[in-house]
Every structure is written in structure tokens, then in C-alpha cells.
Amino acid sequence: MKNYRLLFLLICGMTVLSLQVKASSGVHPILKGTRVVAATLLDTLKADTKDPVCGMPVKKGSTLTVLYKDKVYGFCTRSCKASFSKQPEKFVKVKAKK
């Protein structure tokens, strides 16, 4: 039984690594051409901030994050994170104009 658990963990680890490599190339095959913004699953916010999509406050330690152009953005919900991931330039430019 231990061998099966080890094999399962090994396969899962390789799959995650494969998805991260494919995502970093810009287009993810599972998402069928959807542009993928580089995301770090384990990133957490280092300070309180505002959601760039809706403007709601996001607390330090949140794991709903996306790394875009060397900056970590935090989100209040998964839907805001998804909206940002589809068109990050739209929300970064809006923030820059203010």
C-alpha cells in the first residue's frame, strides 16, 4: 500500500510541475488557449492591499494571489482573481491612471 501512495504522490508532483512549466509559457492546453498569467500557488500577501478588480480590501496573508510583472496582486474572491488573470493589463492600467 505504501508503494501506491508513493507512486501517487510522485505522479501528482510531476503533474503540478508540468502544469507550472506549461503555464509559464503563456498558453495552457487544458484552458484551451486562455492566456495564463504566471501564478505562484504558495504566494501570500505580505501587506494589506486592495483588490485591483473591485477595490475591496484584501488582508495580509491572503492566498488568492497572482504574480504579474514581478508584483503580487491579492483578490477578495476567486472570480476577481479569474477576471484579472484573463486581462491583467486592463486592471493594472486602471490602477496606474489613479
Side-chain angles (χ1 to χ4, degrees):
M1 190 62 134
K2 286 185 177 182
N3 290 338
Y4 288 116
R5 289 181 187 165
L6 182 60
L7 181 62
F8 176 75
L9 292 173
L10 181 65
I11 290 171
C12 289
M14 291 173 59
T15 303
V16 169
L17 181 61
S18 171
L19 292 176
Q20 288 174 347
V21 170
K22 289 177 183 174
S24 67
S25 67
V27 176
H28 196 283
I30 294 175
L31 299 177
K32 298 181 180 159
T34 302
R35 184 164 181 266
V36 176
V37 177
T40 306
L41 297 175
L42 301 176
D43 259 347
T44 58
L45 282 179
K46 308 297 185 241
D48 292 348
T49 186
K50 287 189 177 183
D51 186 318
V53 176
C54 69
M56 293 289 292
V58 182
K59 295 201 178 222
K60 172 183 173 181
S62 173
T63 57
L64 283 174
T65 60
V66 169
L67 178 65
Y68 178 70
K69 292 191 177 181
D70 297 328
K71 183 173 179 186
V72 177
Y73 292 90
F75 303 94
C76 63
T77 62
R78 290 183 184 159
S79 62
C80 283
K81 180 179 176 180
S83 295
F84 182 87
S85 295
K86 288 178 185 174
Q87 295 180 314
E89 299 87 10
K90 176 181 173 183
F91 300 106
V92 172
K93 285 181 182 176
V94 169
K95 186 177 179 183
K97 288 180 182 177
K98 288 183 178 180

